[in-house]
PDB file of all heavy atoms in Angstrom:
ATOM      1  N   CYS A   1       1.171   1.982 -13.420  1.00 95.00           N
ATOM      2  CA  CYS A   1       0.226   0.893 -13.766  1.00 95.00           C
ATOM      3  C   CYS A   1      -1.137   1.206 -13.120  1.00 95.00           C
ATOM      4  O   CYS A   1      -2.068   0.379 -13.375  1.00 95.00           O
ATOM      5  CB  CYS A   1       0.746  -0.437 -13.256  1.00 95.00           C
ATOM      6  SG  CYS A   1       2.235  -1.021 -14.033  1.00 95.00           S
ATOM      7  N   GLY A   2      -1.236   2.245 -12.408  1.00 95.00           N
ATOM      8  CA  GLY A   2      -2.512   2.597 -11.737  1.00 95.00           C
ATOM      9  C   GLY A   2      -2.894   1.541 -10.657  1.00 95.00           C
ATOM     10  O   GLY A   2      -4.139   1.247 -10.471  1.00 95.00           O
ATOM     11  N   ILE A   3      -1.995   0.965  -9.922  1.00 95.00           N
ATOM     12  CA  ILE A   3      -2.151   0.070  -8.810  1.00 95.00           C
ATOM     13  C   ILE A   3      -1.542   0.512  -7.514  1.00 95.00           C
ATOM     14  O   ILE A   3      -0.775   1.475  -7.596  1.00 95.00           O
ATOM     15  CB  ILE A   3      -1.835  -1.302  -9.271  1.00 95.00           C
ATOM     16  CG1 ILE A   3      -0.334  -1.327  -9.538  1.00 95.00           C
ATOM     17  CG2 ILE A   3      -2.546  -1.867 -10.433  1.00 95.00           C
ATOM     18  CD1 ILE A   3       0.262  -2.649  -9.829  1.00 95.00           C
ATOM     19  N   SER A   4      -1.632  -0.125  -6.533  1.00 95.00           N
ATOM     20  CA  SER A   4      -1.039   0.146  -5.191  1.00 95.00           C
ATOM     21  C   SER A   4       0.315  -0.544  -5.122  1.00 95.00           C
ATOM     22  O   SER A   4       0.527  -1.683  -5.721  1.00 95.00           O
ATOM     23  CB  SER A   4      -1.912  -0.273  -4.089  1.00 95.00           C
ATOM     24  OG  SER A   4      -2.025  -1.637  -3.917  1.00 95.00           O
ATOM     25  N   PRO A   5       1.233  -0.004  -4.358  1.00 95.00           N
ATOM     26  CA  PRO A   5       2.460  -0.762  -4.101  1.00 95.00           C
ATOM     27  C   PRO A   5       2.379  -2.117  -3.548  1.00 95.00           C
ATOM     28  O   PRO A   5       3.070  -3.105  -3.800  1.00 95.00           O
ATOM     29  CB  PRO A   5       3.289   0.188  -3.149  1.00 95.00           C
ATOM     30  CG  PRO A   5       2.720   1.500  -3.476  1.00 95.00           C
ATOM     31  CD  PRO A   5       1.315   1.288  -3.775  1.00 95.00           C
ATOM     32  N   SER A   6       1.287  -2.258  -2.717  1.00 94.00           N
ATOM     33  CA  SER A   6       1.054  -3.622  -2.017  1.00 94.00           C
ATOM     34  C   SER A   6       0.685  -4.580  -3.124  1.00 94.00           C
ATOM     35  O   SER A   6       1.041  -5.808  -2.974  1.00 94.00           O
ATOM     36  CB  SER A   6       0.040  -3.517  -1.027  1.00 94.00           C
ATOM     37  OG  SER A   6      -1.313  -3.050  -1.549  1.00 94.00           O
ATOM     38  N   THR A   7       0.094  -4.191  -4.189  1.00 95.00           N
ATOM     39  CA  THR A   7      -0.291  -5.133  -5.241  1.00 95.00           C
ATOM     40  C   THR A   7       0.935  -5.630  -6.001  1.00 95.00           C
ATOM     41  O   THR A   7       1.095  -6.703  -6.435  1.00 95.00           O
ATOM     42  CB  THR A   7      -1.254  -4.460  -6.384  1.00 95.00           C
ATOM     43  OG1 THR A   7      -2.464  -4.001  -5.732  1.00 95.00           O
ATOM     44  CG2 THR A   7      -1.633  -5.363  -7.499  1.00 95.00           C
ATOM     45  N   VAL A   8       1.946  -4.670  -6.132  1.00 95.00           N
ATOM     46  CA  VAL A   8       3.333  -5.007  -6.714  1.00 95.00           C
ATOM     47  C   VAL A   8       3.916  -6.052  -5.861  1.00 95.00           C
ATOM     48  O   VAL A   8       4.479  -7.060  -6.334  1.00 95.00           O
ATOM     49  CB  VAL A   8       4.054  -3.795  -6.848  1.00 95.00           C
ATOM     50  CG1 VAL A   8       5.568  -4.257  -7.480  1.00 95.00           C
ATOM     51  CG2 VAL A   8       3.498  -2.785  -7.842  1.00 95.00           C
ATOM     52  N   THR A   9       3.823  -5.811  -4.608  1.00 94.00           N
ATOM     53  CA  THR A   9       4.495  -6.796  -3.627  1.00 94.00           C
ATOM     54  C   THR A   9       3.843  -8.154  -3.682  1.00 94.00           C
ATOM     55  O   THR A   9       4.577  -9.205  -3.758  1.00 94.00           O
ATOM     56  CB  THR A   9       4.440  -6.238  -2.237  1.00 94.00           C
ATOM     57  OG1 THR A   9       5.101  -5.045  -2.102  1.00 94.00           O
ATOM     58  CG2 THR A   9       5.008  -7.248  -1.215  1.00 94.00           C
ATOM     59  N   ARG A  10       2.527  -8.129  -3.668  1.00 93.00           N
ATOM     60  CA  ARG A  10       1.837  -9.447  -3.778  1.00 93.00           C
ATOM     61  C   ARG A  10       2.130 -10.180  -5.134  1.00 93.00           C
ATOM     62  O   ARG A  10       2.282 -11.392  -5.197  1.00 93.00           O
ATOM     63  CB  ARG A  10       0.286  -9.282  -3.608  1.00 93.00           C
ATOM     64  CG  ARG A  10      -0.242  -8.976  -2.204  1.00 93.00           C
ATOM     65  CD  ARG A  10      -1.673  -9.148  -2.076  1.00 93.00           C
ATOM     66  NE  ARG A  10      -2.379  -8.264  -2.918  1.00 93.00           N
ATOM     67  CZ  ARG A  10      -2.792  -7.012  -2.707  1.00 93.00           C
ATOM     68  NH1 ARG A  10      -2.461  -6.512  -1.576  1.00 93.00           N
ATOM     69  NH2 ARG A  10      -3.481  -6.313  -3.576  1.00 93.00           N
ATOM     70  N   PHE A  11       2.205  -9.368  -6.132  1.00 94.00           N
ATOM     71  CA  PHE A  11       2.506  -9.913  -7.550  1.00 94.00           C
ATOM     72  C   PHE A  11       3.830 -10.675  -7.410  1.00 94.00           C
ATOM     73  O   PHE A  11       4.077 -11.746  -7.975  1.00 94.00           O
ATOM     74  CB  PHE A  11       2.524  -8.736  -8.451  1.00 94.00           C
ATOM     75  CG  PHE A  11       2.848  -9.184  -9.921  1.00 94.00           C
ATOM     76  CD1 PHE A  11       1.938  -9.631 -10.858  1.00 94.00           C
ATOM     77  CD2 PHE A  11       4.157  -9.084 -10.266  1.00 94.00           C
ATOM     78  CE1 PHE A  11       2.234  -9.960 -12.161  1.00 94.00           C
ATOM     79  CE2 PHE A  11       4.464  -9.435 -11.646  1.00 94.00           C
ATOM     80  CZ  PHE A  11       3.591  -9.889 -12.481  1.00 94.00           C
ATOM     81  N   CYS A  12       4.886  -9.946  -6.878  1.00 92.00           N
ATOM     82  CA  CYS A  12       6.166 -10.587  -6.686  1.00 92.00           C
ATOM     83  C   CYS A  12       6.149 -11.843  -5.967  1.00 92.00           C
ATOM     84  O   CYS A  12       6.843 -12.829  -6.358  1.00 92.00           O
ATOM     85  CB  CYS A  12       7.152  -9.540  -6.055  1.00 92.00           C
ATOM     86  SG  CYS A  12       7.475  -8.148  -7.049  1.00 92.00           S
ATOM     87  N   LYS A  13       5.467 -11.893  -4.867  1.00 88.00           N
ATOM     88  CA  LYS A  13       5.327 -13.148  -4.106  1.00 88.00           C
ATOM     89  C   LYS A  13       4.631 -14.233  -4.764  1.00 88.00           C
ATOM     90  O   LYS A  13       5.023 -15.395  -4.647  1.00 88.00           O
ATOM     91  CB  LYS A  13       4.565 -12.715  -2.724  1.00 88.00           C
ATOM     92  CG  LYS A  13       5.204 -11.870  -1.824  1.00 88.00           C
ATOM     93  CD  LYS A  13       6.621 -12.386  -1.289  1.00 88.00           C
ATOM     94  CE  LYS A  13       7.434 -11.298  -0.429  1.00 88.00           C
ATOM     95  NZ  LYS A  13       6.599 -10.941   0.758  1.00 88.00           N
ATOM     96  N   THR A  14       3.586 -13.883  -5.587  1.00 87.00           N
ATOM     97  CA  THR A  14       2.888 -14.893  -6.409  1.00 87.00           C
ATOM     98  C   THR A  14       3.884 -15.586  -7.290  1.00 87.00           C
ATOM     99  O   THR A  14       3.798 -16.761  -7.588  1.00 87.00           O
ATOM    100  CB  THR A  14       1.819 -14.243  -7.253  1.00 87.00           C
ATOM    101  OG1 THR A  14       0.919 -13.634  -6.368  1.00 87.00           O
ATOM    102  CG2 THR A  14       1.133 -15.202  -8.158  1.00 87.00           C
ATOM    103  N   PHE A  15       4.844 -14.818  -7.964  1.00 87.00           N
ATOM    104  CA  PHE A  15       5.766 -15.498  -8.787  1.00 87.00           C
ATOM    105  C   PHE A  15       7.085 -15.820  -8.046  1.00 87.00           C
ATOM    106  O   PHE A  15       8.163 -15.948  -8.742  1.00 87.00           O
ATOM    107  CB  PHE A  15       6.106 -14.521 -10.019  1.00 87.00           C
ATOM    108  CG  PHE A  15       4.920 -14.436 -10.992  1.00 87.00           C
ATOM    109  CD1 PHE A  15       3.962 -13.463 -10.802  1.00 87.00           C
ATOM    110  CD2 PHE A  15       4.856 -15.414 -11.971  1.00 87.00           C
ATOM    111  CE1 PHE A  15       2.799 -13.411 -11.704  1.00 87.00           C
ATOM    112  CE2 PHE A  15       3.718 -15.309 -12.891  1.00 87.00           C
ATOM    113  CZ  PHE A  15       2.716 -14.348 -12.725  1.00 87.00           C
ATOM    114  N   HIS A  16       7.034 -15.921  -6.772  1.00 83.00           N
ATOM    115  CA  HIS A  16       8.131 -16.578  -6.013  1.00 83.00           C
ATOM    116  C   HIS A  16       9.408 -15.712  -5.995  1.00 83.00           C
ATOM    117  O   HIS A  16      10.442 -16.127  -5.855  1.00 83.00           O
ATOM    118  CB  HIS A  16       8.524 -17.995  -6.539  1.00 83.00           C
ATOM    119  CG  HIS A  16       7.336 -18.908  -6.433  1.00 83.00           C
ATOM    120  ND1 HIS A  16       6.948 -19.597  -5.263  1.00 83.00           N
ATOM    121  CD2 HIS A  16       6.406 -19.336  -7.419  1.00 83.00           C
ATOM    122  CE1 HIS A  16       5.938 -20.325  -5.509  1.00 83.00           C
ATOM    123  NE2 HIS A  16       5.610 -20.235  -6.739  1.00 83.00           N
ATOM    124  N   PHE A  17       9.241 -14.387  -6.018  1.00 87.00           N
ATOM    125  CA  PHE A  17      10.293 -13.449  -5.747  1.00 87.00           C
ATOM    126  C   PHE A  17      10.147 -13.042  -4.277  1.00 87.00           C
ATOM    127  O   PHE A  17       9.064 -12.973  -3.722  1.00 87.00           O
ATOM    128  CB  PHE A  17      10.215 -12.315  -6.662  1.00 87.00           C
ATOM    129  CG  PHE A  17      10.335 -12.530  -8.110  1.00 87.00           C
ATOM    130  CD1 PHE A  17       9.326 -12.566  -9.020  1.00 87.00           C
ATOM    131  CD2 PHE A  17      11.678 -12.929  -8.648  1.00 87.00           C
ATOM    132  CE1 PHE A  17       9.378 -12.855 -10.304  1.00 87.00           C
ATOM    133  CE2 PHE A  17      11.763 -13.139  -9.987  1.00 87.00           C
ATOM    134  CZ  PHE A  17      10.619 -13.126 -10.877  1.00 87.00           C
ATOM    135  N   LYS A  18      11.350 -12.684  -3.757  1.00 86.00           N
ATOM    136  CA  LYS A  18      11.334 -12.243  -2.313  1.00 86.00           C
ATOM    137  C   LYS A  18      10.734 -10.885  -2.135  1.00 86.00           C
ATOM    138  O   LYS A  18      10.415 -10.481  -1.004  1.00 86.00           O
ATOM    139  CB  LYS A  18      12.768 -12.281  -1.809  1.00 86.00           C
ATOM    140  CG  LYS A  18      13.349 -13.702  -1.778  1.00 86.00           C
ATOM    141  CD  LYS A  18      14.871 -13.603  -1.503  1.00 86.00           C
ATOM    142  CE  LYS A  18      15.437 -15.026  -1.635  1.00 86.00           C
ATOM    143  NZ  LYS A  18      16.956 -15.061  -1.474  1.00 86.00           N
ATOM    144  N   GLY A  19      10.613 -10.204  -3.256  1.00 92.00           N
ATOM    145  CA  GLY A  19      10.066  -8.777  -3.257  1.00 92.00           C
ATOM    146  C   GLY A  19      10.387  -8.069  -4.579  1.00 92.00           C
ATOM    147  O   GLY A  19      10.946  -8.746  -5.453  1.00 92.00           O
ATOM    148  N   PHE A  20       9.999  -6.847  -4.511  1.00 94.00           N
ATOM    149  CA  PHE A  20      10.251  -6.078  -5.892  1.00 94.00           C
ATOM    150  C   PHE A  20      11.715  -5.991  -6.215  1.00 94.00           C
ATOM    151  O   PHE A  20      12.188  -6.142  -7.388  1.00 94.00           O
ATOM    152  CB  PHE A  20       9.596  -4.807  -5.885  1.00 94.00           C
ATOM    153  CG  PHE A  20       9.645  -3.956  -7.072  1.00 94.00           C
ATOM    154  CD1 PHE A  20       9.231  -4.593  -8.300  1.00 94.00           C
ATOM    155  CD2 PHE A  20      10.101  -2.685  -7.135  1.00 94.00           C
ATOM    156  CE1 PHE A  20       9.436  -3.841  -9.536  1.00 94.00           C
ATOM    157  CE2 PHE A  20      10.389  -1.940  -8.291  1.00 94.00           C
ATOM    158  CZ  PHE A  20       9.893  -2.623  -9.541  1.00 94.00           C
ATOM    159  N   PRO A  21      12.615  -5.737  -5.157  1.00 94.00           N
ATOM    160  CA  PRO A  21      13.985  -5.640  -5.511  1.00 94.00           C
ATOM    161  C   PRO A  21      14.533  -7.005  -6.061  1.00 94.00           C
ATOM    162  O   PRO A  21      15.475  -6.852  -7.043  1.00 94.00           O
ATOM    163  CB  PRO A  21      14.675  -5.246  -4.159  1.00 94.00           C
ATOM    164  CG  PRO A  21      13.613  -4.618  -3.448  1.00 94.00           C
ATOM    165  CD  PRO A  21      12.324  -5.260  -3.821  1.00 94.00           C
ATOM    166  N   ASP A  22      14.046  -8.059  -5.605  1.00 91.00           N
ATOM    167  CA  ASP A  22      14.541  -9.354  -6.079  1.00 91.00           C
ATOM    168  C   ASP A  22      14.025  -9.607  -7.534  1.00 91.00           C
ATOM    169  O   ASP A  22      14.824 -10.044  -8.377  1.00 91.00           O
ATOM    170  CB  ASP A  22      13.984 -10.528  -5.109  1.00 91.00           C
ATOM    171  CG  ASP A  22      14.486 -11.887  -5.565  1.00 91.00           C
ATOM    172  OD1 ASP A  22      15.700 -11.990  -5.768  1.00 91.00           O
ATOM    173  OD2 ASP A  22      13.677 -12.868  -5.590  1.00 91.00           O
ATOM    174  N   LEU A  23      12.884  -9.205  -7.832  1.00 91.00           N
ATOM    175  CA  LEU A  23      12.342  -9.223  -9.221  1.00 91.00           C
ATOM    176  C   LEU A  23      13.229  -8.329 -10.180  1.00 91.00           C
ATOM    177  O   LEU A  23      13.568  -8.836 -11.191  1.00 91.00           O
ATOM    178  CB  LEU A  23      10.931  -8.838  -9.311  1.00 91.00           C
ATOM    179  CG  LEU A  23      10.320  -8.523 -10.686  1.00 91.00           C
ATOM    180  CD1 LEU A  23      10.335  -9.717 -11.583  1.00 91.00           C
ATOM    181  CD2 LEU A  23       8.930  -7.971 -10.598  1.00 91.00           C
ATOM    182  N   LYS A  24      13.511  -7.179  -9.682  1.00 93.00           N
ATOM    183  CA  LYS A  24      14.385  -6.361 -10.639  1.00 93.00           C
ATOM    184  C   LYS A  24      15.779  -6.875 -10.788  1.00 93.00           C
ATOM    185  O   LYS A  24      16.227  -6.851 -11.927  1.00 93.00           O
ATOM    186  CB  LYS A  24      14.443  -4.969  -9.938  1.00 93.00           C
ATOM    187  CG  LYS A  24      13.170  -4.122  -9.947  1.00 93.00           C
ATOM    188  CD  LYS A  24      13.444  -2.640  -9.796  1.00 93.00           C
ATOM    189  CE  LYS A  24      14.138  -2.355  -8.432  1.00 93.00           C
ATOM    190  NZ  LYS A  24      14.374  -0.887  -8.305  1.00 93.00           N
ATOM    191  N   MET A  25      16.386  -7.404  -9.717  1.00 89.00           N
ATOM    192  CA  MET A  25      17.686  -7.903  -9.902  1.00 89.00           C
ATOM    193  C   MET A  25      17.750  -9.148 -10.821  1.00 89.00           C
ATOM    194  O   MET A  25      18.638  -9.185 -11.638  1.00 89.00           O
ATOM    195  CB  MET A  25      18.187  -8.419  -8.460  1.00 89.00           C
ATOM    196  CG  MET A  25      19.610  -8.906  -8.359  1.00 89.00           C
ATOM    197  SD  MET A  25      20.094  -9.504  -6.851  1.00 89.00           S
ATOM    198  CE  MET A  25      19.055 -10.951  -6.655  1.00 89.00           C
ATOM    199  N   LYS A  26      16.793 -10.061 -10.678  1.00 86.00           N
ATOM    200  CA  LYS A  26      16.717 -11.220 -11.551  1.00 86.00           C
ATOM    201  C   LYS A  26      16.442 -10.838 -13.033  1.00 86.00           C
ATOM    202  O   LYS A  26      16.891 -11.509 -13.921  1.00 86.00           O
ATOM    203  CB  LYS A  26      15.784 -12.296 -10.908  1.00 86.00           C
ATOM    204  CG  LYS A  26      16.389 -12.890  -9.719  1.00 86.00           C
ATOM    205  CD  LYS A  26      15.453 -13.860  -8.999  1.00 86.00           C
ATOM    206  CE  LYS A  26      16.122 -14.490  -7.766  1.00 86.00           C
ATOM    207  NZ  LYS A  26      15.141 -15.371  -6.982  1.00 86.00           N
ATOM    208  N   LEU A  27      15.439  -9.928 -13.100  1.00 89.00           N
ATOM    209  CA  LEU A  27      15.140  -9.509 -14.518  1.00 89.00           C
ATOM    210  C   LEU A  27      16.257  -8.819 -15.118  1.00 89.00           C
ATOM    211  O   LEU A  27      16.591  -9.092 -16.348  1.00 89.00           O
ATOM    212  CB  LEU A  27      13.971  -8.560 -14.404  1.00 89.00           C
ATOM    213  CG  LEU A  27      13.399  -8.098 -15.754  1.00 89.00           C
ATOM    214  CD1 LEU A  27      12.957  -9.228 -16.692  1.00 89.00           C
ATOM    215  CD2 LEU A  27      12.237  -7.104 -15.460  1.00 89.00           C
ATOM    216  N   ALA A  28      17.016  -8.034 -14.316  1.00 89.00           N
ATOM    217  CA  ALA A  28      18.179  -7.302 -14.970  1.00 89.00           C
ATOM    218  C   ALA A  28      19.217  -8.324 -15.361  1.00 89.00           C
ATOM    219  O   ALA A  28      19.960  -8.234 -16.440  1.00 89.00           O
ATOM    220  CB  ALA A  28      18.756  -6.340 -13.896  1.00 89.00           C
ATOM    221  N   GLY A  29      19.418  -9.352 -14.544  1.00 83.00           N
ATOM    222  CA  GLY A  29      20.360 -10.402 -14.903  1.00 83.00           C
ATOM    223  C   GLY A  29      20.095 -11.080 -16.177  1.00 83.00           C
ATOM    224  O   GLY A  29      20.954 -11.451 -17.005  1.00 83.00           O
ATOM    225  N   GLU A  30      18.793 -11.420 -16.405  1.00 80.00           N
ATOM    226  CA  GLU A  30      18.323 -12.059 -17.583  1.00 80.00           C
ATOM    227  C   GLU A  30      18.468 -11.196 -18.857  1.00 80.00           C
ATOM    228  O   GLU A  30      18.912 -11.608 -19.862  1.00 80.00           O
ATOM    229  CB  GLU A  30      16.912 -12.556 -17.464  1.00 80.00           C
ATOM    230  CG  GLU A  30      16.728 -13.712 -16.514  1.00 80.00           C
ATOM    231  CD  GLU A  30      15.367 -14.302 -16.527  1.00 80.00           C
ATOM    232  OE1 GLU A  30      14.384 -13.782 -17.288  1.00 80.00           O
ATOM    233  OE2 GLU A  30      15.070 -15.242 -15.787  1.00 80.00           O
ATOM    234  N   LEU A  31      18.167  -9.964 -18.628  1.00 85.00           N
ATOM    235  CA  LEU A  31      18.254  -8.980 -19.845  1.00 85.00           C
ATOM    236  C   LEU A  31      19.681  -8.779 -20.185  1.00 85.00           C
ATOM    237  O   LEU A  31      20.043  -8.464 -21.389  1.00 85.00           O
ATOM    238  CB  LEU A  31      17.537  -7.710 -19.399  1.00 85.00           C
ATOM    239  CG  LEU A  31      16.040  -7.750 -19.179  1.00 85.00           C
ATOM    240  CD1 LEU A  31      15.524  -6.364 -18.766  1.00 85.00           C
ATOM    241  CD2 LEU A  31      15.352  -8.191 -20.412  1.00 85.00           C
ATOM    242  N   ALA A  32      20.632  -8.946 -19.206  1.00 82.00           N
ATOM    243  CA  ALA A  32      22.021  -8.678 -19.537  1.00 82.00           C
ATOM    244  C   ALA A  32      22.703  -9.916 -20.190  1.00 82.00           C
ATOM    245  O   ALA A  32      23.701  -9.807 -20.756  1.00 82.00           O
ATOM    246  CB  ALA A  32      22.850  -8.352 -18.260  1.00 82.00           C
ATOM    247  N   GLN A  33      21.972 -11.062 -20.143  1.00 70.00           N
ATOM    248  CA  GLN A  33      22.507 -12.241 -20.699  1.00 70.00           C
ATOM    249  C   GLN A  33      22.443 -12.108 -22.284  1.00 70.00           C
ATOM    250  O   GLN A  33      21.546 -11.565 -22.851  1.00 70.00           O
ATOM    251  CB  GLN A  33      21.738 -13.495 -20.386  1.00 70.00           C
ATOM    252  CG  GLN A  33      21.852 -13.909 -18.935  1.00 70.00           C
ATOM    253  CD  GLN A  33      23.064 -14.572 -18.546  1.00 70.00           C
ATOM    254  OE1 GLN A  33      23.783 -15.039 -19.530  1.00 70.00           O
ATOM    255  NE2 GLN A  33      23.408 -14.738 -17.351  1.00 70.00           N
ATOM    256  N   LYS A  34      23.429 -12.711 -22.892  1.00 61.00           N
ATOM    257  CA  LYS A  34      23.443 -12.845 -24.346  1.00 61.00           C
ATOM    258  C   LYS A  34      22.343 -13.680 -24.840  1.00 61.00           C
ATOM    259  O   LYS A  34      22.137 -14.695 -24.188  1.00 61.00           O
ATOM    260  CB  LYS A  34      24.886 -13.470 -24.854  1.00 61.00           C
ATOM    261  CG  LYS A  34      24.890 -13.518 -26.385  1.00 61.00           C
ATOM    262  CD  LYS A  34      26.282 -14.091 -26.730  1.00 61.00           C
ATOM    263  CE  LYS A  34      26.326 -14.224 -28.319  1.00 61.00           C
ATOM    264  NZ  LYS A  34      27.672 -14.873 -28.753  1.00 61.00           N
ATOM    265  N   PRO A  35      21.591 -13.233 -25.889  1.00 58.00           N
ATOM    266  CA  PRO A  35      20.415 -14.029 -26.237  1.00 58.00           C
ATOM    267  C   PRO A  35      20.948 -15.477 -26.756  1.00 58.00           C
ATOM    268  O   PRO A  35      22.025 -15.545 -27.319  1.00 58.00           O
ATOM    269  CB  PRO A  35      19.949 -13.224 -27.576  1.00 58.00           C
ATOM    270  CG  PRO A  35      20.346 -11.828 -27.278  1.00 58.00           C
ATOM    271  CD  PRO A  35      21.690 -11.925 -26.626  1.00 58.00           C
ATOM    272  N   ASN A  36      20.117 -16.418 -26.389  1.00 52.00           N
ATOM    273  CA  ASN A  36      20.406 -17.771 -26.624  1.00 52.00           C
ATOM    274  C   ASN A  36      20.024 -18.093 -28.127  1.00 52.00           C
ATOM    275  O   ASN A  36      18.961 -18.108 -28.537  1.00 52.00           O
ATOM    276  CB  ASN A  36      19.671 -18.736 -25.735  1.00 52.00           C
ATOM    277  CG  ASN A  36      20.143 -20.106 -25.651  1.00 52.00           C
ATOM    278  OD1 ASN A  36      20.856 -20.472 -26.586  1.00 52.00           O
ATOM    279  ND2 ASN A  36      19.659 -20.956 -24.781  1.00 52.00           N
ATOM    280  N   ASP A  37      21.120 -18.413 -28.915  1.00 50.00           N
ATOM    281  CA  ASP A  37      20.910 -18.826 -30.304  1.00 50.00           C
ATOM    282  C   ASP A  37      20.323 -20.152 -30.408  1.00 50.00           C
ATOM    283  O   ASP A  37      19.752 -20.462 -31.555  1.00 50.00           O
ATOM    284  CB  ASP A  37      22.267 -18.711 -31.070  1.00 50.00           C
ATOM    285  CG  ASP A  37      22.794 -17.356 -31.109  1.00 50.00           C
ATOM    286  OD1 ASP A  37      22.042 -16.519 -31.111  1.00 50.00           O
ATOM    287  OD2 ASP A  37      24.102 -17.178 -31.205  1.00 50.00           O
ATOM    288  N   ASN A  38      20.379 -21.044 -29.361  1.00 49.00           N
ATOM    289  CA  ASN A  38      19.847 -22.348 -29.527  1.00 49.00           C
ATOM    290  C   ASN A  38      18.367 -22.321 -29.020  1.00 49.00           C
ATOM    291  O   ASN A  38      18.111 -22.916 -28.110  1.00 49.00           O
ATOM    292  CB  ASN A  38      20.634 -23.320 -28.654  1.00 49.00           C
ATOM    293  CG  ASN A  38      22.080 -23.367 -29.230  1.00 49.00           C
ATOM    294  OD1 ASN A  38      22.398 -23.573 -30.380  1.00 49.00           O
ATOM    295  ND2 ASN A  38      23.065 -23.163 -28.259  1.00 49.00           N
ATOM    296  N   ALA A  39      17.436 -21.814 -29.887  1.00 56.00           N
ATOM    297  CA  ALA A  39      16.065 -21.829 -29.533  1.00 56.00           C
ATOM    298  C   ALA A  39      15.466 -23.169 -29.584  1.00 56.00           C
ATOM    299  O   ALA A  39      16.016 -23.969 -30.372  1.00 56.00           O
ATOM    300  CB  ALA A  39      15.390 -20.799 -30.372  1.00 56.00           C
ATOM    301  N   TYR A  40      14.523 -23.440 -28.788  1.00 59.00           N
ATOM    302  CA  TYR A  40      13.817 -24.676 -28.863  1.00 59.00           C
ATOM    303  C   TYR A  40      13.217 -24.956 -30.278  1.00 59.00           C
ATOM    304  O   TYR A  40      12.661 -24.135 -30.865  1.00 59.00           O
ATOM    305  CB  TYR A  40      12.721 -24.802 -27.860  1.00 59.00           C
ATOM    306  CG  TYR A  40      13.200 -24.810 -26.428  1.00 59.00           C
ATOM    307  CD1 TYR A  40      13.108 -23.791 -25.650  1.00 59.00           C
ATOM    308  CD2 TYR A  40      13.708 -26.048 -25.946  1.00 59.00           C
ATOM    309  CE1 TYR A  40      13.569 -23.800 -24.374  1.00 59.00           C
ATOM    310  CE2 TYR A  40      14.162 -26.038 -24.563  1.00 59.00           C
ATOM    311  CZ  TYR A  40      14.150 -24.871 -23.803  1.00 59.00           C
ATOM    312  OH  TYR A  40      14.634 -24.969 -22.527  1.00 59.00           O
TER     313      TYR A  40
END
């Protein structure tokens, strides 16, 4: 992305993740979920 690792860390904290590993874990969990057929 052409940025520093510290920017990634601050970005994660901005969105209330504990850090980059936490972001990856939660994103992976969401991507593994079956798509919701009941869209709004």
Side-chain angles (χ1 to χ4, degrees):
C1 298
I3 59 178
S4 67
S6 61
T7 300
V8 178
T9 300
R10 286 195 301 271
F11 177 88
C12 293
K13 295 295 177 61
T14 296
F15 287 92
H16 301 280
F17 296 105
K18 296 170 185 175
F20 184 54
D22 186 41
L23 167 60
K24 290 200 298 180
M25 180 182 68
K26 290 177 178 174
L27 182 58
E30 288 189 359
L31 295 176
Q33 292 282 348
K34 181 180 178 181
N36 193 347
D37 294 329
N38 297 310
Y40 290 103

